[in-house]
Amino acid sequence: MKHWWRTGATLVVGAGLGASLTRLLGAGGRQEDQRSLGLLSAVPVLPAPGPLGLVGVPTLQASEMTVSAGGSGAVMKYGFPSMANIKTRESYVTSYDPRTRTASWVIERLSPASLTGSSDRKFSEFKEDDSVHMFHRATNGDYRGSGFDRGHLAAAANHKWSQKAMDDTFYLSNVAPQNPHLNQNTWNNLEKLCRSLTKRYLNVYVCTGPLYLPRQEADGKLYVRYQVIGKNHVAVPTHFFKVLILEQAEGRGVELRSYVLPNQPVDDKVPLENFLVPIETIERASGLLFVPNIMRRTSNLSAITNK
């Protein structure tokens, strides 16, 4: 099933959003979350930004961008979903949240060229982000003995074109506490899918981030609760999202796919398509905006919510 939008079109919201969330979380086996997350359909979508773009900054033209295989300048084509604490790296752009000690989102651009090279993760090490104040950053000690993996948001294997680019993905500001089973199986499969799509699309833009979603507890009320780890209280997301902006060749428009996975063990036999959700689901849950920026770049956007 595809929803199609053109400039000025109204986004489709409502009952379908709640239904998609129920389907999504059913795959994860969390019935209590099914009940609570359906409430997200009542949260209003933020209004579209003004003519200068999402954050009052003109969108860069293609001729103004870095054109290296996976350079951070190139990922800005479709704007940013928010503009808080923006940091640029060799291979990605991120918005850092000092409250959670993780990123709010990370954007990267994948292409066959960015996936090719001699870079090797065995030369990379997880490291603190010295650009973040010491009171607001995670350390390797926070993860030690926590039971959680240091889960990449921008994946290391996405940036073989440069050892520096790969090394930059090992900043702790680009990772979040992730269930080991999820990280090493279903999430890894989703990252592989992103890379495989470079064979079919001109460019693959990937935006990844954590979510902290409510659940209904025994008293019938909704709460947002999440664990923190280490002396720096690094927040453990309840879910992760990944939004794919897929450029089709020959100007045939842009395809959008958006996924949400629970931060818990997921049977890797469950098809990744089961975790597709409408983009409004992520916009409502995260407070971020994607569609208005994309629509400034194309009049032909197809959003795949089920395959």
Side-chain angles (χ1 to χ4, degrees):
M1 176 179 64
K2 292 186 179 181
H3 294 307
W4 292 84
W5 295 300
R6 295 191 181 275
T7 304
T10 301
L11 299 182
V12 178
V13 296
L17 175 59
S20 295
L21 278 168
T22 299
R23 172 178 59 79
L24 161 71
L25 294 166
R30 296 291 289 273
Q31 293 183 351
E32 63 271 29
D33 283 352
Q34 292 176 9
R35 295 191 298 271
S36 63
L37 294 184
L39 192 70
L40 289 174
S41 61
V43 181
V45 175
L46 296 176
L52 290 182
L54 180 62
V55 294
V57 178
T59 304
L60 295 181
Q61 300 299 314
S63 60
E64 299 173 287
M65 298 177 187
T66 302
V67 294
S68 58
S72 59
V75 308
M76 295 186 290
K77 180 174 182 179
Y78 293 99
F80 298 148
S82 71
M83 196 59 178
N85 298 313
I86 299 295
K87 298 180 182 299
T88 60
R89 297 294 185 193
E90 187 81 4
S91 50
Y92 60 89
V93 178
T94 181
S95 171
Y96 186 74
D97 187 344
R99 298 169 302 172
T100 62
R101 279 59 165 169
T102 66
S104 298
W105 53 260
V106 174
I107 297 178
E108 51 191 328
R109 185 188 70 160
L110 311 186
S111 67
S114 73
L115 305 180
T116 305
S118 58
S119 301
D120 194 324
R121 63 181 296 150
K122 72 180 181 182
F123 300 119
S124 304
E125 295 182 351
F126 287 104
K127 55 197 172 186
E128 295 180 29
D129 189 338
D130 291 335
S131 68
V132 177
H133 191 281
M134 62 180 295
F135 295 147
H136 297 149
R137 65 178 180 242
T139 68
N140 283 307
D142 293 320
Y143 285 85
R144 193 171 298 118
S146 69
F148 291 94
D149 281 358
R150 291 165 291 191
H152 281 80
L153 299 176
N158 292 350
H159 302 287
K160 292 184 177 180
W161 62 281
S162 158
Q163 186 64 50
K164 174 64 165 59
M166 181 174 286
D167 289 347
D168 278 4
T169 68
F170 283 80
Y171 278 109
L172 292 178
S173 54
N174 178 53
V175 308
Q178 194 165 46
N179 178 278
H181 187 279
L182 175 67
N183 182 38
Q184 298 163 30
N185 293 280
T186 303
W187 189 257
N188 185 43
N189 292 339
L190 181 56
E191 291 176 336
K192 290 178 179 177
L193 172 65
C194 294
R195 291 191 285 274
S196 72
L197 292 174
T198 61
K199 300 174 182 177
R200 296 174 47 194
Y201 296 90
L202 190 62
N203 282 298
V204 175
Y205 294 84
V206 182
C207 183
T208 307
L211 292 173
Y212 304 88
L213 300 184
R215 57 181 293 176
Q216 189 175 42
E217 298 196 359
D219 61 2
K221 297 179 181 179
L222 296 172
Y223 297 89
V224 176
R225 296 190 192 274
Y226 53 87
Q227 182 182 349
V228 296
I229 61 172
K231 67 179 182 180
N232 293 301
H233 297 171
V234 182
V236 179
T238 64
H239 296 73
F240 289 93
F241 73 82
K242 197 175 284 289
V243 174
L244 311 185
I245 303 170
L246 309 169
E247 286 185 341
Q248 301 186 78
E250 300 175 354
R252 289 184 284 116
V254 173
E255 188 175 292
L256 187 66
R257 302 188 192 185
S258 42
Y259 299 83
V260 174
L261 278 72
N263 192 12
Q264 62 187 49
V266 173
D267 186 347
D268 57 6
K269 295 184 176 62
V270 177
L272 290 172
E273 287 80 2
N274 284 29
F275 300 98
L276 280 165
V277 299
I279 187 61
E280 298 94 342
T281 301
I282 296 172
E283 290 184 321
R284 291 168 187 267
S286 64
L288 306 176
L289 283 174
F290 294 92
V291 172
N293 284 331
I294 299 171
M295 293 304 292
R296 289 188 181 89
R297 283 289 181 177
T298 181
S299 60
N300 188 353
L301 172 64
S302 65
I304 294 182
T305 57
N306 191 16
K307 294 203 67 161

